[in-house]
Amino acid sequence: AADISAVWEMLYNGVRHEKAAMSGHAMPELSRRGLSIAAISAVDIALWDILGKSLGVPVWKLLGGRKADRLPAYASGGWESAEKIGGQLQSYLASGGFKAVKMRVGAMDGAPYVSAARVRAARKALGPSVDIMVDAHGTYTVADAKRFIQLVRDCDLAWFEEPVIADDKAGMAEVRAAGNVPIATGESEATRFAFRDLAVLRSADIFQPDPAFCGGITEAMRIGAIASAFNLRLAPHLWAGAPCFFSGLHICAASPASFVVEYSVGANPMIHDLVEETVAVKDGMLEIPDKPGLGFTINERVLENHAQRL
């Protein structure tokens, strides 16, 4: 109880607190504004689903209609070493015909040159025609993020995601100005006000609100409007379970700023096992649900298996 400062940092950084403590800089967990915004998000998502089902229409129709019945998806994973990353990413391409993949970099590798070596190995294995995104989860300092950009300047990256802590929007703008790689961020941000600041400070090229953290479908659509007004793009973060993922499909279908959908290829039972429906990627494209509401049915057997008896 006497380790007050250490406890504060542990609560703020969440599952990354040990790495953050040893590295000497913050690496906050998702939704660092607290559970209140996440709780609002859950209620908002549920209300949109209820409204759509009560009217017998999909949520995208309530949001103003959809711009396409299928949207491009990218395979989100990529944790392997330099020796194995090429094979791992190639397996993603084969599984759903993906034309784009995302891999992890940053504190998981230690020094920027280790991440850079993995990225170069990925590019060599995939060739020039596949888009490669990298995600540092906000774990670099500004200096190390700039070093990393220089080390991979010839790899033609589609975007560099969360290069630095989300609290340092000016630092993120500095990273963006230091290279020619588009900067994507937003999974750790809550509400449209944070994204307004990203736009005004010219900190990002691509907004990535997570519907389960940013304030739900309502707030994600407002964030998409900010992106459109600043001529930025929208690619929501969609790892927080099936309700979040399906919400993202409807948001992307309705938002003029969207251009690609994140598809988790890691072990993520909260997406892939929690619902009865199979969301499959074919030729790198995802179908937008036509069923009323968000278009998914909870797998009650999964809930039973994980229910806590009181």
Side-chain angles (χ1 to χ4, degrees):
D3 296 331
I4 296 173
S5 295
V7 169
W8 195 97
E9 293 295 331
M10 179 187 71
L11 294 173
Y12 188 73
N13 288 294
V15 295
R16 300 195 187 104
H17 72 91
E18 291 180 347
K19 172 67 75 172
M22 292 302 100
S23 299
H25 64 91
M27 300 178 187
E29 201 169 17
L30 297 179
S31 192
R32 71 198 187 288
R33 286 198 177 188
L35 292 176
S36 58
I37 301 298
I40 291 169
S41 302
V43 172
D44 183 81
I45 289 169
L47 292 177
W48 280 104
D49 188 41
I50 290 168
L51 179 59
K53 286 175 177 173
S54 72
L55 297 174
V57 298
V59 168
W60 55 257
K61 186 164 287 188
L62 301 174
L63 297 175
R66 63 181 179 183
K67 60 186 182 183
D69 56 7
R70 298 195 311 156
L71 290 173
Y74 70 90
S76 183
W79 295 271
E80 285 287 5
S81 64
E83 293 74 24
K84 297 180 179 179
I85 189 66
Q88 184 179 49
L89 297 180
Q90 285 174 332
S91 72
Y92 299 165
L93 302 184
S95 66
F98 291 99
K99 308 296 190 300
V101 296
K102 185 166 77 180
M103 60 181 286
R104 270 60 188 176
V105 297
M108 62 171 279
D109 293 325
Y113 76 86
V114 180
S115 289
R118 293 177 57 246
V119 172
R120 288 195 297 272
R123 175 54 76 198
K124 182 178 179 180
L126 299 182
S129 61
V130 175
D131 281 340
I132 298 176
M133 301 86 154
V134 297
D135 184 357
H137 293 292
T139 58
Y140 279 136
T141 62
V142 170
D144 279 347
K146 291 162 71 173
R147 287 170 61 197
F148 173 78
I149 284 181
Q150 293 305 312
L151 289 168
V152 297
R153 60 186 179 276
D154 58 345
C155 291
D156 190 28
L157 295 179
W159 75 57
F160 184 10
E161 183 170 331
E162 283 205 309
V164 298
I165 180 175
D167 288 323
D168 189 5
K169 293 179 176 59
M172 198 168 300
E174 185 178 340
V175 174
R176 180 174 179 261
N180 59 356
V181 181
I183 299 300
T185 192
E187 71 179 66
S188 298
E189 300 288 7
T191 77
R192 61 195 179 276
F193 306 110
F195 287 87
R196 173 204 60 196
D197 294 345
L198 285 169
V200 170
L201 291 170
R202 303 181 67 82
S203 299
D205 300 279
I206 299 157
F207 283 175
Q208 297 179 298
D210 189 306
F213 296 140
C214 74
I217 294 171
T218 300
E219 198 72 351
M221 290 301 294
R222 293 167 176 162
I223 291 163
I226 294 172
S228 180
F230 281 83
N231 206 29
L232 305 174
R233 296 192 290 173
L234 184 74
H237 177 261
L238 301 177
W239 273 65
C244 170
F245 178 78
F246 277 80
S247 296
L249 294 181
H250 291 265
I251 292 163
C252 287
S255 173
S258 74
F259 69 108
V260 71
V261 178
E262 181 172 30
Y263 186 86
S264 166
V265 291
N268 200 333
M270 286 294 289
I271 291 179
H272 300 302
D273 298 344
L274 188 62
V275 295
E276 298 283 358
E277 291 76 12
T278 299
V279 182
V281 178
K282 184 178 180 181
D283 298 326
M285 304 290 282
L286 267 170
E287 288 192 13
I288 304 302
D290 270 322
K291 293 168 62 177
L294 289 172
F296 66 85
T297 307
I298 291 291
N299 186 330
E300 298 293 340
R301 296 184 303 279
V302 171
L303 291 187
E304 281 294 318
N305 290 339
H306 295 281
Q308 187 174 25
R309 306 302 178 189
L310 300 178

